[in-house]
Structure formats: structure tokens, C-alpha cells
Amino acid sequence: MLEERFKNDLVYRKEKVYFILTMIFSLMMYISLAFSIIGIVIVGALILLSLFVHGLSMAHIRRNGVRISERQFPGVYEKAELLAKEMDMNVPSMYVLESSGMLNAFATRFFGKNMVVIYSELFDLTEEGKEDELLFVLAHEFTHIKRRHVLVHMLVLPGMFIPLLGEAYMRACEYTCDRHAHFYVKNMEASKQALTMLAIGKKLAPKVNQDAYIDQIREESGFFVWLSEKLSTHPHLPKRLNALDNWSFPEEKELIKEKKATVIIGISVSILLFVAAGIGIAFAISTLANSDLATMFQEDYDMEEGFTPLMNAVSENETETILSLLADGADINETDDYGQSALHHAVSYENNEAAKLLLEKGATVDLVDSYETTPLNLAAYLENVELVALLLKYGADPTIKDMEGLSAIDYAHDSQNKELIELFKQ
């Protein structure tokens, strides 16, 4: 039961909201540029330049890095293969690169080929009896690929230049990857050790008092500390440790938040600085309609804005509450600000039980949201075989295409998920 709870809560909630906001800005930018020949040329040139520079970098790694395979470090490859199988994905190409003492790893994609690059200082963990720590790093990077973070970054590239927003989305992705990595490695001590190593190195990490390190969130505070994180693509390491603790043991480990005063002062000063520097804040505020920009970046931002009580119950997989709300007359097909129904939310959170209950109670199976996405499109994108089978049972149409022109069948073939492909053949 506990493992099922974790499995249904692997995606950090803020990731979805920040992705939608980043996508809105990106689409607006693409549309505005599409009406200008010069704009189209600029976008095309930037894309080509980015691909060229990325290609050179990846070519250097592929030729000079040591590729992990059945013939090269077969023990590590076997464990990575088992990990990828458990995560229901193909093993990406993995390379070890000399790092001059740096501890890092990253996932990338090169002309349709998924890659994970591990710096040698981290890969040395295999020789130090710390294979679970290395597996945590691999699982973290595998999740970037599984969640298509690498692909999405190109799609939402213009939105990534909106001050604070792009970084907020990428930080949310990091929290999601930490959860996945811990869930699949199943070793809390190794998971936290892997994160601690990034702060102080491999030798001293075992000597760190992690509780005291996490307490630095409270002790080391203030505007510049807050702003340094908001301008970063990664959360501060003590916050990642604290978030992992809270996610694993919510009753025992408190989630430490920034002080309200710090957040308010930070937001206010940041807005003034951006306005003074002429960095597009006026444009961002106008495109957000009547939304409150400051509220969007607060730590306690209401992630359920626009949600109905039924959607909240579905996101928590609270079946008794769902039944009670429906009995009281809740509209099962009511949508939120993004056109998503309760069934969309059940699929998005991969709450199979809630999805089944909604379908049994008559939820519209092929309702499309603002992005022309059906629940089946979402389920296929997430590679949730059980949900796909359930939706097909209730008559979902696998040929409906979303805004990107992809159907559920297309997503199945794109992920090369054999189980999904077989389902759509039936």
C-alpha cells in the first residue's frame, strides 16, 4: 500500500503547472514570430545554431567518453539495464567522461538518441562499494528521459527566458527526478548520500550531519539566498534532501518553507530590479491576464487554482470523497482553467482507481482539454498500460490527435512500448 502511494505521487505537482505556464509563453512567442519573416529567420537560425553546437559537444563525448555496455563495465550495464526495465523504458546510451574532480551527470538527446553522461568522479562510486548511490544518479537522469524533459526543453525554449519561470520549471523537474530515483533504488540512505556528495564530495559526505545540513534552510535565509535559488535551474541541496525526507515520511519529517517575509521581500525587490533593467516584466504581467505574478512564485503557491473539489479528491485518489461529491451533484465533466476534467487529472496523477471510478460513473472518455489532449493521449504519453487498457475498454478513441498532431497510437510507437502497441492493435 505504501509503495502504491509513492508510485501515484512520483511527479512533483509544481512541474505540471510551471510547464503549462512556460508552454503558454512559448506558444505566444512562436505565434508572434510566425507573423514576421524576420522572426521566422531568427527562430530558424537559433534552432540550427543550437543543434550545431549541441552536435559538436555530443560528438566529442561519443568519441572520447567511455561507453558503458555489455563489453565495457558489464556489471554496471547489467544493473542499469534492470533499472531501465523496472522504469519501463529502453536503456539509453551511457558514457563516462573525465571530470577533473567535478561531481555531475546529465541526460541529453542527440538526433533521436537518448544519452546519459556520467562524470568519472561519480562513476568511481562503483569501485567504492557505493553502487546504490550511483544507481540513484542513473535513475535520476533516466527519469529526465522518461518524463521527456530533454525533448520538452526545446519546445518551450522561448518560455525558458522569462525571468524566474524557466528556472522554476526546471527545479520542479529536479524534484520529480529525485522522487523517481529514490522510488526505484529503494535505499533512502544511499539516495540522501548521493545528494550530499554533490554538496561536499564523496569522502566527507558520510560524515555530514544531514539533519543539521537541512536546518541551514532556516538558518541561512534572506533575500539573496532566496534569489540565488530562484535564478538557478536546481533547488538548493538542503531543500532537495528535505523534500525527499518529507515525501518519504510526511508524518515525521516537516517540509521547511521559506519565511513569508523573505518571499514577499524577494518577489517585490526582484520585480523592481527587472522593471528597472527593462527585462520584459510588463509583458509577462499582461499575458498572465489577471493572475498575480508574485503569487505564482511563492513557495506556498496554490497548486490547485481552478480545481474543483472533485478534481482535488481525484488527485489524492480519495475514492470515498469522489463518491460523496458525485452523490451531492458534482459535475463529473466540469473542467478547470486549462480545459481538463477530473478524468484528465486522474490520468495525469496516474490514479488508476480514481479513473476507473469516474468512468464507471459516466465520465466523458474523450473530452479534450485546451491543448486538444484526451485522457487516452495522456495515458499513452505516460506509458501507463493499465490506464490505456481501461480507457480503451470504455471506448476511448486512440486516433484523436492533440495540439502537437500526435495520437495515443503515435505516443505508443514513439516510446517503443511493446505492451501499448499491442493494446492498440487489438
Side-chain angles (χ1 to χ4, degrees):
M1 183 64 72
L2 188 61
E3 183 170 332
E4 190 64 25
R5 179 186 77 78
F6 286 142
K7 191 172 184 179
N8 291 331
D9 193 31
L10 286 174
V11 179
Y12 184 62
R13 284 190 174 185
K14 290 187 179 182
E15 179 185 331
K16 179 180 177 182
V17 171
Y18 286 137
F19 169 72
I20 291 172
L21 291 171
T22 309
M23 177 66 79
I24 290 172
F25 278 113
S26 298
L27 287 174
M28 291 176 63
M29 187 64 71
Y30 283 129
I31 291 170
S32 64
L33 290 173
F35 288 102
S36 165
I37 294 177
I38 296 177
I40 294 173
V41 172
I42 291 173
V43 171
L46 288 174
I47 291 175
L48 288 175
L49 179 62
S50 175
L51 288 174
F52 181 77
V53 173
H54 182 67
L56 285 178
S57 175
M58 293 305 101
H60 173 81
I61 291 172
R62 292 171 64 194
R63 178 57 63 86
N64 293 286
V66 177
R67 182 175 177 179
I68 303 170
S69 66
E70 295 95 334
R71 297 171 56 205
Q72 197 78 265
F73 300 105
V76 176
Y77 183 81
E78 182 181 355
K79 289 181 181 296
E81 196 173 33
L82 290 173
L83 176 63
K85 183 177 181 181
E86 189 175 358
M87 295 178 71
D88 199 17
M89 60 180 288
N90 296 323
V91 184
S93 298
M94 295 175 290
Y95 297 86
V96 180
L97 195 66
E98 202 284 320
S99 60
S100 300
M102 290 182 62
L103 288 164
N104 199 9
F106 61 89
T108 187
R109 188 175 175 87
F110 180 67
F111 289 102
K113 182 178 182 180
N114 291 321
M115 296 171 55
V116 169
V117 179
I118 312 159
Y119 284 7
S120 57
E121 189 74 10
L122 269 179
F123 194 71
D124 285 348
L125 292 170
T126 58
E127 302 299 315
E128 300 171 11
K130 298 177 180 178
E131 290 190 347
D132 280 355
E133 284 85 343
L134 177 62
L135 285 177
F136 177 89
V137 175
L138 286 176
H140 180 101
E141 302 306 331
F142 283 11
T143 304
H144 278 305
I145 294 170
K146 181 178 175 64
R147 293 283 303 164
R148 292 177 172 80
H149 293 156
V150 177
L151 275 175
V152 164
H153 286 173
M154 181 60 72
L155 181 64
V156 300
L157 185 61
M160 303 298 283
F161 291 100
I162 301 298
L164 304 183
L165 178 57
E167 290 86 354
Y169 168 62
M170 295 180 76
R171 287 197 305 274
C173 292
E174 292 301 315
Y175 282 126
T176 291
C177 292
D178 283 347
R179 289 184 179 187
H180 277 75
H182 172 50
F183 176 80
Y184 286 106
V185 172
K186 298 178 177 63
N187 185 334
M188 186 61 172
E189 182 179 351
S191 299
K192 294 177 69 175
Q193 277 292 307
L195 291 173
T196 307
M197 286 176 191
L198 300 178
I200 199 170
K202 295 185 298 182
K203 291 183 179 180
L204 293 176
K207 299 180 180 181
V208 171
N209 182 326
Q210 292 176 348
D211 289 334
Y213 186 43
I214 290 172
D215 282 340
Q216 287 182 206
I217 300 171
R218 294 190 181 95
E219 296 163 359
E220 307 292 341
S221 60
F223 166 70
F224 287 104
V225 174
W226 175 87
L227 185 61
S228 73
E229 183 182 44
K230 298 310 169 190
L231 296 175
S232 173
T233 58
H234 287 64
H236 288 161
L237 284 165
K239 295 185 75 172
R240 289 174 68 177
L241 285 166
N242 178 232
L244 203 58
D245 265 344
N246 175 256
W247 181 67
S248 302
F249 309 105
E251 302 297 329
E252 303 172 24
K253 300 292 185 177
E254 171 194 5
L255 182 63
I256 303 173
K257 296 183 179 181
E258 299 283 0
K259 295 177 181 178
K260 293 276 188 175
T262 300
V263 174
I264 294 171
I265 293 171
I267 292 168
S268 302
V269 173
S270 297
I271 291 175
L272 289 173
L273 288 174
F274 285 131
V275 170
I279 310 178
I281 291 297
F283 171 75
I285 294 175
S286 64
T287 53
L288 280 172
N290 296 320
S291 66
D292 182 355
L293 185 63
T295 303
M296 180 178 70
F297 295 111
Q298 279 184 244
E299 287 294 326
D300 57 349
Y301 174 75
D302 182 5
M303 299 301 296
E304 299 175 346
E305 186 175 10
F307 283 20
T308 65
L310 179 60
M311 292 172 190
N312 287 325
V314 165
S315 68
E316 299 295 335
N317 208 29
E318 296 172 349
T319 53
E320 291 186 7
T321 305
I322 294 170
L323 287 171
S324 176
L325 288 168
L326 292 175
D328 290 339
D331 183 355
I332 198 170
N333 291 318
E334 186 174 356
T335 58
D336 61 17
D337 295 342
Y338 306 104
Q340 295 196 328
S341 65
L343 184 57
H344 278 95
H345 286 279
V347 174
S348 179
Y349 286 105
E350 299 189 81
N351 290 339
N352 298 13
E353 190 176 351
K356 182 178 180 181
L357 179 57
L358 290 171
L359 289 166
E360 289 174 349
K361 295 298 180 179
T364 301
V365 69
D366 280 332
L367 189 68
V368 296
D369 63 14
S370 302
Y371 304 96
E372 300 177 18
T373 300
T374 66
L376 183 60
N377 291 137
L378 277 175
Y381 173 80
L382 295 169
E383 299 182 46
N384 190 316
V385 177
E386 184 179 342
L387 269 178
V388 168
L390 177 66
L391 291 162
L392 289 174
K393 177 182 175 182
Y394 280 85
D397 185 350
T399 64
I400 296 176
K401 296 183 181 293
D402 59 19
M403 186 178 286
E404 297 180 26
L406 298 173
S407 67
I409 296 175
D410 294 327
Y411 282 119
H413 285 282
D414 182 57
S415 65
Q416 299 180 358
N417 189 308
K418 295 180 180 179
E419 290 184 82
L420 286 181
I421 294 171
E422 286 301 316
L423 273 177
F424 290 125
K425 286 181 179 180
Q426 296 175 10

